[in-house]
Amino acid sequence: MTHDVIVIGGGSAGYAAARTARDAGADVGIVDQGPLGGLCILRGCMPSKAILRSAEIAALMKRAKEFGLEPVPVRADLSAIVDRKNRLVQEFAEDRIKALKDPRFTLYQARARFTSPHEILVGETVLTARSFIVATGSIPCDVPIPGLKEAGYETSDSILDLREQPASLVVLGGGAVATEFGQFFARIGSCVMILQRGDHLLSDFDDEVGQTVETAFRQEGIEVHLDCQVRRVTCQGGEKVVEFEQAGRVRSVAAELILQALGRKANIAGLNLEVAGVAVRDGRMMLNEEMRTSQPHIFAVGDVNDLNPIVHIAIQQGEIAGYNATHPTAVPKRIDNRLDSDVIFTDPQVAAVGWSEKVCRRRGVPYLAASYPFADHGKALCSGQTQGFVKLLCHPRTGQLLGAQVVGPEAGELVHELAAVMYYRGTVQDLLRIPHYHPTLAEIVTYPAEELVARLQAEDHVGSRAQQ
């Protein structure tokens, strides 16, 4: 069997690539061994956000008295939460499966492996194509902690199906998976302890972001241990004991369950990429901004390329690969990371777009930064959601918005206004010109913008006087 383009993997990135190539008139084959649906739908965004909603409601119910309401006892039923999650996931998956089985595609539900740069073996069928797009996603990392495998642990994949609530939980890691699941289990009544290697949670963001989330977690009764190196795991008296070193001291915590949230890796085992001539370094395919690997006709998109495990970015990558695979003589499309964004669905939420202060300093990019707290914002005070802040970064001469970080209520929604302004290369002056309804959470962005505009005007005034 021969196709113009073969996409290996039918998740968000793979389907976007297949749809784009099909719309360009290509004969497209999709290979997915199943279960069909993709990581986002089956084991990622959708199921995790479904269960987090239950914890959000539980947390609000516990605060009833603060809002003048009679409190009622809150008891979580984890099995019922999982049932609701499964119903939603099934609905989402059915839509994706219907799309993959569109007769305009040829779907092969089997495992694929390369037998040459232009051939793959699917079951017992050899398929050839002019271009291949690898979109096989990611899997949890294997972490060489002595005793961890023997003691047993959950990952972000398996914990979604847990029906018996653990009395206690140790979370290894301090990123998105660790913080979201850690807070979820704490809010439904488990005793939660988080062990983070770095000096603050969410280390990819600026320091004050993780510090704000850490403060909120401690207020909810979550134990957060920073700057710790896990040494080993043992089982004692029916519990899993995690031994770690912190500030030169050896300490330990014990719990009924361990969540290993120390990252994911590209799902490339068994693809035979070496036979295809695709360069792999440290478990990652090497590729350029056109999503091409070392073999120009083989592309890699989504989590499998280990660039940025965010769904909308995976879709953009898929669309770029699908276009480039079907337009060999056209000017190739390239990924633009200027508007990369991220959202962590903790409470307070965390969202970011563009460059952070860490990134600006690392790249030597000059900037001005200003922040404003939700604790001094009217709508946030009325809503009882006062943790966090909005921080804006702009160019020190033009005022062009370079990036933003939001920690607080509805951060994942608020960040989109800032992304829209950045898309049009707008400035902090533009943020002030845009009308913002009062009282809303959104109007908080105008306060750091005001500070930055004042600083820009002051510097312009100083510059003008110096020229005179």
mmCIF file of all heavy atoms in Angstrom, residues 21-37:
data_model
loop_
_atom_site.group_PDB
_atom_site.id
_atom_site.type_symbol
_atom_site.label_atom_id
_atom_site.label_comp_id
_atom_site.label_asym_id
_atom_site.label_seq_id
_atom_site.Cartn_x
_atom_site.Cartn_y
_atom_site.Cartn_z
ATOM 1 N N ALA A 21 -2.908 17.676 5.750
ATOM 2 C CA ALA A 21 -2.418 17.021 4.532
ATOM 3 C C ALA A 21 -3.575 16.607 3.631
ATOM 4 O O ALA A 21 -3.517 16.770 2.399
ATOM 5 C CB ALA A 21 -1.573 15.804 4.907
ATOM 6 N N ARG A 22 -4.644 16.095 4.229
ATOM 7 C CA ARG A 22 -5.820 15.704 3.445
ATOM 8 C C ARG A 22 -6.434 16.902 2.734
ATOM 9 O O ARG A 22 -6.799 16.837 1.550
ATOM 10 C CB ARG A 22 -6.859 15.062 4.366
ATOM 11 C CG ARG A 22 -8.143 14.630 3.665
ATOM 12 C CD ARG A 22 -9.274 14.506 4.674
ATOM 13 N NE ARG A 22 -9.637 15.812 5.246
ATOM 14 C CZ ARG A 22 -10.344 15.957 6.365
ATOM 15 N NH1 ARG A 22 -10.751 14.892 7.043
ATOM 16 N NH2 ARG A 22 -10.633 17.163 6.817
ATOM 17 N N ASP A 23 -6.547 18.025 3.443
ATOM 18 C CA ASP A 23 -7.149 19.222 2.851
ATOM 19 C C ASP A 23 -6.295 19.777 1.713
ATOM 20 O O ASP A 23 -6.790 20.543 0.874
ATOM 21 C CB ASP A 23 -7.359 20.291 3.924
ATOM 22 C CG ASP A 23 -8.457 19.909 4.916
ATOM 23 O OD1 ASP A 23 -9.201 18.940 4.633
ATOM 24 O OD2 ASP A 23 -8.552 20.560 5.976
ATOM 25 N N ALA A 24 -5.004 19.403 1.717
ATOM 26 C CA ALA A 24 -4.124 19.816 0.618
ATOM 27 C C ALA A 24 -4.214 18.857 -0.563
ATOM 28 O O ALA A 24 -3.493 19.017 -1.548
ATOM 29 C CB ALA A 24 -2.684 19.904 1.117
ATOM 30 N N GLY A 25 -5.073 17.859 -0.460
ATOM 31 C CA GLY A 25 -5.287 16.935 -1.555
ATOM 32 C C GLY A 25 -4.481 15.656 -1.493
ATOM 33 O O GLY A 25 -4.485 14.869 -2.447
ATOM 34 N N ALA A 26 -3.802 15.413 -0.377
ATOM 35 C CA ALA A 26 -2.957 14.232 -0.261
ATOM 36 C C ALA A 26 -3.765 12.991 0.098
ATOM 37 O O ALA A 26 -4.817 13.075 0.747
ATOM 38 C CB ALA A 26 -1.876 14.460 0.792
ATOM 39 N N ASP A 27 -3.265 11.852 -0.320
ATOM 40 C CA ASP A 27 -3.787 10.548 0.108
ATOM 41 C C ASP A 27 -3.101 10.238 1.439
ATOM 42 O O ASP A 27 -1.886 10.056 1.493
ATOM 43 C CB ASP A 27 -3.439 9.489 -0.942
ATOM 44 C CG ASP A 27 -3.865 8.081 -0.523
ATOM 45 O OD1 ASP A 27 -4.384 7.910 0.592
ATOM 46 O OD2 ASP A 27 -3.638 7.150 -1.316
ATOM 47 N N VAL A 28 -3.878 10.209 2.526
ATOM 48 C CA VAL A 28 -3.312 10.128 3.879
ATOM 49 C C VAL A 28 -3.684 8.809 4.554
ATOM 50 O O VAL A 28 -4.861 8.433 4.599
ATOM 51 C CB VAL A 28 -3.799 11.308 4.749
ATOM 52 C CG1 VAL A 28 -3.225 11.207 6.165
ATOM 53 C CG2 VAL A 28 -3.413 12.639 4.106
ATOM 54 N N GLY A 29 -2.670 8.154 5.084
ATOM 55 C CA GLY A 29 -2.893 6.995 5.928
ATOM 56 C C GLY A 29 -2.568 7.345 7.364
ATOM 57 O O GLY A 29 -1.617 8.081 7.628
ATOM 58 N N ILE A 30 -3.383 6.865 8.303
ATOM 59 C CA ILE A 30 -3.144 7.079 9.737
ATOM 60 C C ILE A 30 -2.941 5.721 10.383
ATOM 61 O O ILE A 30 -3.751 4.812 10.208
ATOM 62 C CB ILE A 30 -4.329 7.804 10.402
ATOM 63 C CG1 ILE A 30 -4.601 9.144 9.724
ATOM 64 C CG2 ILE A 30 -4.063 8.000 11.891
ATOM 65 C CD1 ILE A 30 -5.852 9.850 10.238
ATOM 66 N N VAL A 31 -1.852 5.603 11.134
ATOM 67 C CA VAL A 31 -1.553 4.364 11.833
ATOM 68 C C VAL A 31 -1.625 4.629 13.329
ATOM 69 O O VAL A 31 -0.907 5.495 13.847
ATOM 70 C CB VAL A 31 -0.157 3.828 11.470
ATOM 71 C CG1 VAL A 31 0.107 2.499 12.177
ATOM 72 C CG2 VAL A 31 -0.024 3.663 9.963
ATOM 73 N N ASP A 32 -2.486 3.928 14.024
ATOM 74 C CA ASP A 32 -2.627 4.085 15.476
ATOM 75 C C ASP A 32 -3.034 2.741 16.051
ATOM 76 O O ASP A 32 -4.090 2.206 15.714
ATOM 77 C CB ASP A 32 -3.674 5.151 15.805
ATOM 78 C CG ASP A 32 -3.654 5.582 17.263
ATOM 79 O OD1 ASP A 32 -3.505 4.686 18.135
ATOM 80 O OD2 ASP A 32 -3.779 6.784 17.531
ATOM 81 N N GLN A 33 -2.196 2.211 16.926
ATOM 82 C CA GLN A 33 -2.483 0.893 17.492
ATOM 83 C C GLN A 33 -3.579 0.925 18.536
ATOM 84 O O GLN A 33 -4.069 -0.123 18.967
ATOM 85 C CB GLN A 33 -1.220 0.303 18.109
ATOM 86 C CG GLN A 33 -0.695 1.068 19.315
ATOM 87 C CD GLN A 33 0.538 0.415 19.917
ATOM 88 O OE1 GLN A 33 0.805 -0.750 19.659
ATOM 89 N NE2 GLN A 33 1.273 1.162 20.734
ATOM 90 N N GLY A 34 -3.999 2.118 18.940
ATOM 91 C CA GLY A 34 -5.077 2.245 19.917
ATOM 92 C C GLY A 34 -4.569 2.141 21.356
ATOM 93 O O GLY A 34 -3.409 1.814 21.583
ATOM 94 N N PRO A 35 -5.462 2.422 22.303
ATOM 95 C CA PRO A 35 -6.843 2.875 22.085
ATOM 96 C C PRO A 35 -6.889 4.225 21.397
ATOM 97 O O PRO A 35 -6.046 5.092 21.655
ATOM 98 C CB PRO A 35 -7.429 2.936 23.496
ATOM 99 C CG PRO A 35 -6.232 3.134 24.385
ATOM 100 C CD PRO A 35 -5.107 2.396 23.749
ATOM 101 N N LEU A 36 -7.854 4.404 20.514
ATOM 102 C CA LEU A 36 -7.957 5.631 19.735
ATOM 103 C C LEU A 36 -8.437 6.789 20.611
ATOM 104 O O LEU A 36 -9.257 6.612 21.501
ATOM 105 C CB LEU A 36 -8.923 5.433 18.567
ATOM 106 C CG LEU A 36 -8.544 4.363 17.534
ATOM 107 C CD1 LEU A 36 -9.625 4.277 16.471
ATOM 108 C CD2 LEU A 36 -7.197 4.661 16.899
ATOM 109 N N GLY A 37 -7.926 7.955 20.331
ATOM 110 C CA GLY A 37 -8.353 9.141 21.059
ATOM 111 C C GLY A 37 -7.223 10.110 21.327
ATOM 112 O O GLY A 37 -7.402 11.314 21.313
#
